[in-house]
Amino acid sequence: MILDKIDELLKEVQTLSAKNAEEVEQLRLKYLSKKGEITALMNDFRNVAADEKKTVGMKINELKTLATERINQLREECQTQETGDETLDLTRTPYPITLGTRHPLTIVTNEIIDIFSRMGFVLADGPEVEDDLHVFTKMNFAADHPARDMQDTFFVEQSRLGDVTKNILLRSHTSSVQARVMEHMHTENGELTEPIRVICPGRVFRNEAITARAHCFFHQVEGLYIDKNVSFTDLKQVLLSFAREMFGADTKIRLRPSYFPFTEPSAEMDISCFICGGEGCGFCKHTGWVEILGCGMVDPNVLEQCGIDSTKYSGYAFGMGVERITNLKYRVSDLRMFSENDTRFLREFESAD
């Protein structure tokens, strides 16, 4: 008699269904609660003959296990239906999304920052949309300097405050960050509140035709150190340490005289070609040297423009193009590839990340 009841309940449990969580709970109460069908069978188990107890006990356990599994399954199905509309993203692509990697410019920028951070430089940042004062005037650019011309600079607007005309533009170099740091790091009598040692990475813009070798926007990292008794020797040693960290311990450097409005004396820095070891090859145009950055001692006019006493303080500055350094490390022939977001190109740098 009890075995027939168990078989009947087994068939019922196998066909259980529910439309919502309330119906699932009703099924749980009917079969698994203290007053449920299975508990009633267990209460009747004491009246089963001794020779049938083993068979009946196994059947009851089978029924309880099946009922528990079926009710839990129904509960999960109802939860999925109730939350399905919230989790389903109808805009998601039907194919697997491939994970990317860090951009090569980011990899190189982070490496440059890490090298100079270990030398004591701290990060400084500034706006990309700047004014003429910080981009040119405080950097000792003459009023008729060609860089101010529309052919080289993206001017955004011209505003007027009283008798003062203010040109707003996209910064053409990150030297504007240096100007902002300097003007906020001194007292009224031109004394520095503390030595300035900053590294300024960022995006810059110039009105140039986009080709394999030039772009209308690119990235720079500039450095600035100002304190008492700073010399060109200090600059040379810092740049030599950077070159050897970035390109290898055997790297040599040379400094060639140059001109920049904001430094005097100024120099271009070359490194020994790491492809041919300085012996001459197609990459270095058979000179054995490759140019990587510009540098020099901060012009006293720049210090004065930014409110720092040039009779007490001196400093050096340097700047490099991140694309240039990236090309040297990875030999990317076309600058446009850096901004096209071609995943095939970006995947080549997975091992460098």
Side-chain angles (χ1 to χ4, degrees):
M1 186 70 177
I2 191 170
L3 287 175
D4 292 336
K5 179 64 174 176
I6 293 173
D7 288 338
E8 181 181 339
L9 290 176
L10 280 171
K11 292 178 182 178
E12 285 184 20
V13 168
Q14 289 172 350
T15 59
L16 290 180
S17 62
K19 296 180 180 179
N20 51 52
E22 292 181 2
E23 291 184 4
V24 174
E25 180 62 14
Q26 291 300 320
L27 292 176
R28 187 191 70 79
L29 293 174
K30 178 180 179 181
Y31 293 101
L32 297 175
S33 68
K34 291 183 178 180
K35 295 182 180 180
E37 298 280 356
I38 296 177
T39 302
L41 288 175
M42 289 181 175
N43 292 334
D44 293 337
F45 182 75
R46 65 174 67 96
N47 301 321
V48 176
D51 58 341
E52 295 181 349
K53 280 186 179 292
K54 182 177 180 180
T55 302
V56 173
M58 292 175 63
K59 279 284 190 179
I60 291 175
N61 287 335
E62 179 185 355
L63 173 61
K64 184 177 181 181
T65 300
L66 181 62
T68 301
E69 292 176 350
R70 180 57 184 161
I71 289 172
N72 286 339
Q73 180 183 1
L74 290 172
R75 183 180 290 111
E76 291 178 0
E77 291 175 356
C78 290
Q79 288 177 346
T80 301
Q81 291 174 1
E82 290 173 359
T83 60
D85 292 339
E86 297 177 4
T87 58
L88 180 62
D89 184 2
L90 297 178
T91 65
R92 185 173 179 177
T93 56
Y95 48 82
I97 299 175
T98 305
L99 294 178
T101 182
R102 289 190 186 276
H103 196 281
L105 295 180
T106 302
I107 296 171
V108 172
T109 300
N110 289 342
E111 188 175 356
I112 294 171
I113 292 171
D114 177 65
I115 292 171
F116 284 108
S117 294
R118 285 186 271 118
M119 297 185 201
F121 288 82
V122 297
L123 277 177
D125 195 13
E128 293 182 349
V129 181
E130 261 289 6
D131 56 41
D132 178 274
L133 177 68
H134 291 91
V135 175
F136 295 126
T137 304
K138 286 183 178 287
M139 287 292 107
N140 201 37
F141 283 79
D144 57 351
H145 194 283
R148 294 176 180 264
D149 191 69
M150 182 66 89
Q151 293 178 350
D152 196 48
T153 302
F154 287 108
F155 285 93
V156 178
E157 65 178 12
Q158 191 176 79
S159 60
R160 191 173 182 84
L161 183 61
D163 295 332
V164 179
T165 300
K166 190 175 183 181
N167 290 317
I168 305 300
L169 49 92
L170 299 181
R171 66 184 182 188
S172 54
H173 51 193
T174 52
S175 301
S176 56
V177 181
Q178 299 179 24
R180 290 188 174 275
V181 170
M182 285 188 280
E183 69 181 8
H184 288 97
M185 293 286 287
H186 64 81
T187 61
E188 291 184 1
N189 60 358
E191 296 279 348
L192 283 181
T193 54
E194 60 180 281
I196 297 174
R197 194 194 297 260
V198 295
I199 193 85
C200 314
R203 184 170 54 172
V204 299
F205 308 83
R206 292 183 189 173
N207 193 1
E208 297 183 5
I210 299 175
T211 67
R213 299 176 63 84
H215 211 291
C216 63
F217 73 87
F218 53 98
H219 301 77
Q220 286 185 337
V221 175
E222 295 195 21
L224 175 70
Y225 176 43
I226 299 176
D227 200 358
K228 293 180 178 178
N229 302 317
V230 177
S231 69
F232 203 96
T233 302
D234 299 323
L235 170 62
K236 182 178 179 181
Q237 188 57 48
V238 163
L239 295 180
L240 176 61
S241 299
F242 162 72
R244 288 179 173 174
E245 286 275 350
M246 178 64 73
F247 299 105
D250 296 329
T251 303
K252 298 185 176 104
I253 69 170
R254 74 175 183 183
L255 298 170
R256 294 178 289 102
S258 186
Y259 167 77
F260 304 109
F262 35 83
T263 53
E264 180 59 38
S266 303
E268 299 275 5
M269 189 180 96
D270 303 331
I271 60 169
S272 54
C273 180
F274 50 88
I275 304 296
C276 63
E279 302 208 355
C281 66
F283 184 73
C284 63
K285 300 180 181 178
H286 302 284
T287 65
W289 299 94
V290 181
E291 178 189 330
I292 67 166
L293 58 82
C295 61
M297 300 301 294
V298 178
D299 193 297
N301 289 334
V302 173
L303 296 177
E304 296 293 341
Q305 286 277 1
C306 296
I308 298 174
D309 189 343
S310 63
T311 63
K312 296 180 180 179
Y313 298 96
S314 58
Y316 61 70
F318 56 85
M320 66 193 79
V322 178
E323 281 83 353
R324 175 67 171 165
I325 303 296
T326 307
N327 282 342
L328 293 177
K329 284 184 69 70
Y330 301 118
R331 303 184 70 178
V332 179
S333 59
D334 191 335
L335 280 178
R336 292 169 293 191
M337 298 179 73
F338 289 129
S339 56
E340 289 178 348
N341 292 325
D342 188 329
T343 55
R344 296 170 300 176
F345 169 70
L346 298 177
R347 265 190 234 110
E348 296 178 13
F349 300 89
E350 288 178 343
S351 60
D353 189 358

